[in-house]
Amino acid sequence: MNLKSLILFCLVGFLKLNAQPTIKSPDGKLIVSVSISNGIPFYTVTYNEKSFIEKSPLGLKTNAGDFSSGLSLQADVKQNKIDETYQLRNIKQSNVHYIANEAIFSFTKDNASVLDVVFRVSNNNVAFKYKLYPQKETLSGVVQEEVSGFLLPKGTTTFLCPQSNPMTGFARTAPSYETSYTLDDAVGKNGLGNGYTFPCLFKVNNSGWVLISETGVDSGYCASRLIGHENGLYTIGFPMPGENNGNGTTAPGISLTGETPWRTITIGETLAPIVETTVPFDLVKPKYKASKEYRYTKGTWSWIIKMDDNTTFPVQKQYIDFSASMGYETVLVDALWDTQIGREKIAELAAYGAQKGVGLYLWYNSNGYWNDAPQGPRGLMDNAAIRRREMAWMNSIGIKGIKVDFFGGDKQVTMKLYEDILTDANDFGIMVIFHGCTLPRGWERMYPNFASSEAVLASENLHFGQQSCDNEAVNAATHTFIRNTVGSMDFGGSALNKFYNSDNIANKGSKRMTSDVFALATSVLFQSGVQHFALAPNNLHDAPDWAIKFMKEVSTVWDEVRFLDGYPGRYVLLARRKGAKWYIAGINAENKTLRTKLKLDMFSSGTAVNSYTDDDQLNGKVNALKINKNKEVEIKIPRNGGIVIIN
């Protein structure tokens, strides 16, 4: 070998020795690189050769050892190809084809295997989790801290929901993911001092967008949040000690060998991958079989308009009749039914509803030792024996579902309560909505009878204060890009009352500032497999006929979603498909009329469509039109207005 060849050989060997292990998406655009520096593991993420996650730490600290430093990365990186199809009946996309590349990076400490970091990279999505190994004879452990970080590039702006202080808010029920988002804010902050609730959206300069969240959380771990630091670094934070009245540990216990939930990063040069992602569901599997075929339904509820005093037999019977007239299949009977209606009368209501083809959802307080909420029924959901006896009674009278409220924490013990309620309810064929609660983390696929979760400043706030009504459009144009991208959102909206009071009387209670077309649009924009809309019986005669007809026909489950245009907090335009029918929906929160041109490739030239639009005074109307040969439509939406186009 001559000198030149020897130098080249040595150079190639040196480069291989120092090369960072990488894993790429199937299309090759998204690249994760893993490295180790002075015993500390790091990773980076690029998309189209642009940096989206800069050098960020990995690792765990446990009672069995500190596995965030002093580590060695093994040279052998196991690679797998993931190619799966599955059905997702209740959110975003009914048939999913998940293709990803998987790499397992193994780390040792003092010559012993301590953990693997498992990365999966699909087009536009990165996910990672940890696999912990036993140390000596230790078969159980406690994860005291997760040092996983996400370092955003300089100049990134944020769209985040601050975590509230524990044991604050109504009846000391916080945190429940119900604080207002900060929009277009700078990095380097930490919310109210407690970090931020998932999901978390970031705009990376002019490069694109990053959505960070987690999925696969169940009774085997706690739920987490992001803690903000200086210079754009965010790290995983476990629950606060004060959550759930101080009961339960903040650090999750884990069997060894054991795995953590997945951390997810969705990246796009536009918002389309953020809005359309299915990664929260791609990474999980059903935990049990459905005890029956569950139905995802539309329904009504009196509480949002009429409040506590009207959870009475006559009013609920009226709402059963109203749901039947709308072609809806359910009514949600809210808090205080146990004292203001009673069990015998609930059974009578259930029988009456069954004759009309309308089933009941019943509200329950989660209770136990963690909140002061006085509303009943109390003390029935936190004890397995009592809970199962209650569910057996519900099953015997034909109750379709329950809405369980006021959880107030993300500790592992609380995650176990969520799972226990779901698994017990499945035994009795009951669907479950959670309220005053945490974010669902892949639960649409994990739990077959999971219906929806609130985890957002929902419609009740529109009733409680005019400020929420004034900000309704801004919030609606935010949730589509953040909260609702990763899980079902039990918002309970689409009100057609002009005023939030039982008789729709002018100047009584808060005033809705948005249009009727806006209300129709949010029924499409906000997704939840089970929807209880804020409609009222008076709407049959005081709302436009075209609005009532639309609300009778709109779906709650969809086969496909497509992002069309928008910006968080300003405006949104997207499309959802059910069968062969497309709904193009949009709203505008800006202080000026939105004028834009949309390309609607889902329609053929000449397709007849109905267009629901607002004039400058927010008076709605319906026009029939045909899609032109360019498949383009001129869009005009006034502030607080909306648009819907359906074929």
Side-chain angles (χ1 to χ4, degrees):
M1 181 181 293
N2 60 36
L3 182 60
K4 185 177 180 179
S5 298
L6 180 61
I7 293 172
L8 181 62
F9 176 80
C10 292
L11 180 60
V12 170
F14 177 80
L15 290 173
K16 285 185 177 179
L17 185 64
N18 289 275
Q20 292 184 359
T22 62
I23 176 174
K24 299 181 180 181
S25 58
D27 65 7
K29 296 180 180 180
L30 190 58
I31 302 175
V32 176
S33 299
V34 176
S35 62
I36 196 156
S37 177
N38 297 321
I40 300 174
F42 295 92
Y43 76 104
T44 62
V45 182
T46 62
Y47 185 83
N48 268 347
E49 301 182 347
K50 297 176 182 177
S51 177
F52 279 83
I53 301 292
E54 298 184 341
K55 189 177 180 181
S56 301
L58 294 166
L60 301 172
K61 295 181 180 181
T62 79
N63 65 342
D66 182 348
F67 306 138
S68 64
S69 63
L71 303 182
S72 297
L73 174 60
Q74 299 302 288
D76 181 24
V77 178
K78 297 178 182 178
Q79 303 256 5
N80 302 299
K81 291 189 179 295
I82 310 296
D83 191 335
E84 299 176 348
T85 58
Y86 64 93
Q87 281 69 53
L88 192 62
R89 295 176 52 221
N90 48 356
I91 186 168
K92 298 190 89 166
Q93 189 171 324
S94 59
N95 293 288
V96 182
H97 188 189
Y98 176 52
I99 301 174
N101 292 322
E102 180 181 84
I104 302 173
F105 299 91
S106 298
F107 294 88
T108 61
K109 186 169 186 176
D110 299 329
N111 297 317
S113 295
V114 292
L115 61 77
D116 295 338
V117 183
V118 182
F119 273 93
R120 282 197 190 176
V121 183
S122 56
N123 294 345
N124 298 104
N125 295 287
V126 174
F128 67 89
K129 66 179 179 180
Y130 297 94
K131 184 176 182 179
L132 272 169
Y133 290 101
Q135 300 303 301
K136 297 180 180 179
E137 297 180 357
T138 303
L139 297 179
S140 61
V142 175
V143 180
Q144 297 165 331
E145 181 183 349
E146 181 174 335
V147 303
S148 304
F150 310 84
L151 179 59
L152 283 303
K154 186 178 180 180
T156 295
T157 54
T158 70
F159 301 76
L160 303 174
C161 178
Q163 176 73 294
S164 60
N165 290 319
M167 300 300 289
T168 58
F170 172 74
R172 301 196 303 161
T173 57
S176 50
Y177 292 54
E178 295 184 27
T179 52
S180 297
Y181 281 84
T182 57
L183 305 177
D184 273 314
D185 204 358
V187 297
K189 301 180 181 181
N190 195 33
L192 304 173
N194 306 317
Y196 302 95
T197 61
F198 285 127
C200 298
L201 182 65
F202 303 88
K203 186 176 188 293
V204 180
N205 303 313
N206 295 319
S207 299
W209 299 82
V210 175
L211 184 78
I212 299 174
S213 194
E214 65 179 357
T215 191
V217 179
D218 59 15
S219 61
Y221 216 75
C222 63
S224 302
R225 57 200 160 108
L226 278 191
I227 305 297
H229 304 272
E230 293 181 353
N231 303 319
L233 176 65
Y234 295 83
T235 57
I236 293 294
F238 287 162
M240 297 171 283
E243 293 179 25
N244 295 116
N245 205 17
N247 290 274
T249 63
T250 61
I254 186 170
S255 296
L256 303 177
T257 305
E259 297 181 352
T260 68
W262 293 94
R263 312 302 174 204
T264 64
I265 309 167
T266 302
I267 294 175
E269 293 176 325
T270 71
L271 283 160
I274 307 296
V275 172
E276 298 170 11
T277 186
T278 57
V279 74
F281 322 110
D282 298 336
L283 299 164
V284 300
K285 295 288 192 295
K287 295 182 70 68
Y288 50 76
K289 291 184 178 179
S291 63
K292 68 176 189 180
E293 183 178 351
Y294 291 105
R295 294 182 61 83
Y296 300 96
T297 59
K298 291 179 287 189
T300 63
W301 57 316
S302 67
W303 186 89
I304 183 59
I305 299 296
K306 295 179 178 289
M307 296 277 108
D308 287 347
D309 290 346
N310 284 286
T311 305
T312 62
F313 184 87
V315 172
Q316 301 313 305
K317 189 174 181 181
Q318 179 189 24
Y319 269 76
I320 289 173
D321 292 339
F322 177 46
S323 275
S325 69
M326 294 292 293
Y328 293 177
E329 296 182 52
T330 53
V331 163
L332 168 61
V333 183
D334 220 290
L336 303 174
W337 62 262
D338 56 328
T339 54
Q340 295 180 179
I341 297 176
R343 291 176 179 272
E344 289 186 6
K345 283 293 190 179
I346 283 289
E348 185 178 332
L349 271 178
Y352 178 77
Q355 296 174 2
K356 298 266 188 172
V358 177
L360 303 184
Y361 274 68
L362 297 181
W363 184 96
Y364 284 85
N365 195 324
S366 71
N367 274 115
Y369 44 73
W370 49 84
N371 75 60
D372 301 327
Q375 292 90 341
R378 304 177 77 243
L380 301 176
M381 285 292 123
D382 63 312
N383 178 282
I386 297 172
R387 179 173 61 238
R388 291 183 65 84
R389 185 165 64 243
E390 186 75 3
M391 290 176 174
W393 168 73
M394 285 188 273
N395 176 269
S396 72
I397 64 171
I399 298 301
K400 301 300 182 186
I402 55 176
K403 173 182 173 180
V404 189
D405 209 340
F406 303 134
F407 285 86
D410 279 335
K411 294 177 179 177
Q412 187 173 10
V413 66
T414 316
M415 296 302 110
K416 185 177 186 301
L417 178 63
Y418 284 114
E419 184 168 279
D420 288 347
I421 290 172
L422 284 160
T423 53
D424 283 350
N426 182 62
D427 288 345
F428 296 97
I430 294 170
M431 297 189 78
V432 181
I433 297 171
F434 293 120
H435 210 68
C437 59
T438 195
L439 178 79
R441 292 161 163 89
W443 295 358
E444 288 83 353
R445 192 177 180 202
M446 292 165 65
Y447 303 106
N449 58 322
F450 172 75
S452 192
S453 291
E454 185 189 25
V456 72
L457 270 173
S459 61
E460 61 204 56
N461 296 282
L462 299 171
H463 188 123
F464 292 151
Q466 187 59 44
Q467 184 178 3
S468 291
C469 289
D470 295 343
N471 294 330
E472 182 181 7
V474 172
N475 290 329
T478 300
H479 301 325
T480 309
F481 297 108
I482 310 177
R483 166 63 182 87
N484 213 184
T485 61
V486 299
S488 302
M489 186 174 74
D490 183 44
F491 191 86
S494 296
L496 290 175
N497 269 27
K498 297 296 184 185
F499 294 87
Y500 280 89
N501 65 71
S502 58
D503 300 306
N504 201 16
I505 297 172
N507 301 317
K508 181 181 178 183
S510 54
K511 178 183 179 182
R512 182 165 60 93
M513 305 304 292
T514 55
S515 72
D516 290 339
V517 179
F518 179 101
L520 308 191
T522 56
S523 74
V524 178
L525 296 174
F526 296 171
Q527 188 169 12
S528 174
V530 172
Q531 290 266 31
H532 288 104
F533 294 117
L535 303 175
N538 53 272
N539 296 147
L540 292 174
H541 58 79
D542 63 13
D545 290 342
W546 49 263
I548 292 296
K549 183 176 185 296
F550 180 95
M551 293 303 298
K552 286 180 178 180
E553 296 174 354
V554 68
S555 184
T556 65
V557 292
W558 306 92
D559 296 315
E560 185 179 353
V561 57
R562 292 189 199 176
F563 168 76
L564 300 177
D565 196 6
Y567 192 94
R570 299 180 188 177
Y571 70 100
V572 58
L573 289 152
L574 65 75
R576 296 195 193 273
R577 177 179 62 84
K578 178 62 176 175
K581 191 165 188 174
W582 282 96
Y583 288 72
I584 286 80
I587 57 172
N588 179 26
E590 295 191 287
N591 289 324
K592 59 183 179 181
T593 297
L594 173 66
R595 301 176 190 272
T596 189
K597 187 178 290 186
L598 277 186
K599 186 86 168 180
L600 300 180
D601 287 328
M602 67 283 296
F603 296 133
S604 301
S605 299
T607 300
V609 298
N610 285 327
S611 177
Y612 299 73
T613 58
D614 285 314
D615 63 20
D616 292 340
Q617 285 72 46
L618 299 183
N619 297 309
K621 62 179 180 179
V622 187
N623 291 321
L625 56 91
K626 288 188 177 181
I627 301 298
N628 64 27
K629 63 180 181 179
N630 296 323
K631 303 180 184 178
E632 290 182 338
V633 176
E634 295 278 354
I635 299 293
K636 175 187 172 185
I637 310 177
R639 180 175 184 245
N640 288 330
I643 189 170
V644 182
I645 298 171
I646 59 175
N647 62 331

